[in-house]
Amino acid sequence: MDSNKKFLNGTLNTIVLALLRENGKMYGYEICQLTKEKTDNKILLTEGAIYPTLHRLEKDGLIISSKEKVNGRTRKYYAINQSSLQEVESQIDLLSQFTGHLRSLLNLTT
Amino acid sequence: MDSNKKFLNGTLNTIVLALLRENGKMYGYEICQLTKEKTDNKILLTEGAIYPTLHRLEKDGLIISSKEKVNGRTRKYYAINQSSLQEVESQIDLLSQFTGHLRSLLNLTT
DNA sequence: GCCGAATACCTAATTCTCTTATGTATTATT
DNA sequence: AATAATACATAAGAGAATTAGGTATTCGGC
C-alpha cells in the first residue's frame, strides 16, 4: 500500500534540503504535512525520521534553526545555511541525477 | 563523487527485480556490470550488496536460481518466479511511482 | 466545560540494508 | 609469471528509518 516507506532510506536528507531551499524556511511538522499533500499521501514522513534528520543536518552545518512561538506553540524553523548553499545544491543535484539514472535503467515512464 | 551510494538503500531489491523481468535471466556479476554500463558508472552495485539481495529475494520466493558452468566458471542465474510475477510487477510499479512523486515534490527535471 | 483531534516537539530500542573487508577459485591479459 | 577480470560467498560494523513511547498546547464539536 503505502510501502513507499522502504524507498525513502537515504533520500530523506536531500528531500529536506530541497524543500528548505525552495521554501525559505520551514519547521519539521510543516515538512511532513507539505510532503504528504504534495504527493497525495504517497510519501509519508514520520516524526521519528524527520526530527533526527533535521538535527543531523544542523549538526553538519547545512541548515540553521531558530525558534518562534506561534499561537502559544513553539515552532523550530530551519533554513539553509547560506555558507553551505553550494554543498546543498550539489546534494540535490546528485539525487536528481540518481533518480534520472534509475528511471532510465529501469525504463520507468510513470 | 559517486555518492549515489547513499541513495541506493531500499531500491536495490526493486532494481534487481526490474532487470530480471526485462532480461529474462541474469547472474549477480552481470547485474552489477549492466547497471554500471547503463548508468555511465553512476550507479555502482557492490558485491557485498548484490549477493545478499539475490539470496533474500530467492528466500522470499520472488526469484529462482539455477547454476550453469560457462568457460569453467560457475554462474548462478536468477529469473523471476512466474508465480510471483504479479507481486514483482507491483513492486516495480511502486518504485516507479515513488521516483515520480519524488521528482515532482522536488521539482526535479534532470 | 470537556474531550478528542490536531499541532509541535523530542528520544530510545530495534530492525534492516548497505559498506567494508575478506576469502575462494578460474580464466584472460600482459 | 603476475595481475586483472570473472564469479561466487559471508561476516562485522555503520547508519538510517521504523516503531513506539513521551510532553505540551490549541482547536473544534457537543
Side-chain angles (χ1 to χ4, degrees), chain A residues 22 42 96 99 103 107 110, chain B residues 22 96 99 101 103 107 110:
Chain A
E22 192 180 329
K42 292 308 188 311
S96 178
T99 62
R103 294 179 76 82
N107 297 322
T110 309
Chain B
E22 191 180 332
S96 177
T99 62
H101 284 304
R103 295 180 75 80
N107 296 323
T110 310

Side-chain angles (χ1 to χ4, degrees), chain A residues 20-37:
Chain A
L20 288 180
R21 186 188 55 161
E22 192 180 329
N23 298 299
K25 68 175 191 177
M26 301 181 78
Y27 53 101
Y29 190 81
E30 186 185 13
I31 293 174
C32 296
Q33 296 305 311
L34 181 67
T35 300
K36 189 180 168 187
E37 283 168 30

Side-chain angles (χ1 to χ4, degrees), chain B residues 3-4 7 17 28 38 41 54 64 77 83 85 89 109:
Chain B
S3 318
N4 275 327
F7 296 125
L17 293 176
K38 281 233 238 177
N41 291 305
L54 288 167
I64 292 174
Y77 278 98
S83 61
L85 187 55
E89 308 267 14
T109 49

Side-chain angles (χ1 to χ4, degrees), chain B residues 50-61 63 76 78:
Chain B
I50 193 74
Y51 292 117
T53 294
L54 288 167
H55 300 159
R56 196 189 311 140
L57 290 173
E58 183 170 32
K59 208 188 74 185
D60 292 345
I63 63 179
K76 197 166 170 188
Y78 291 89

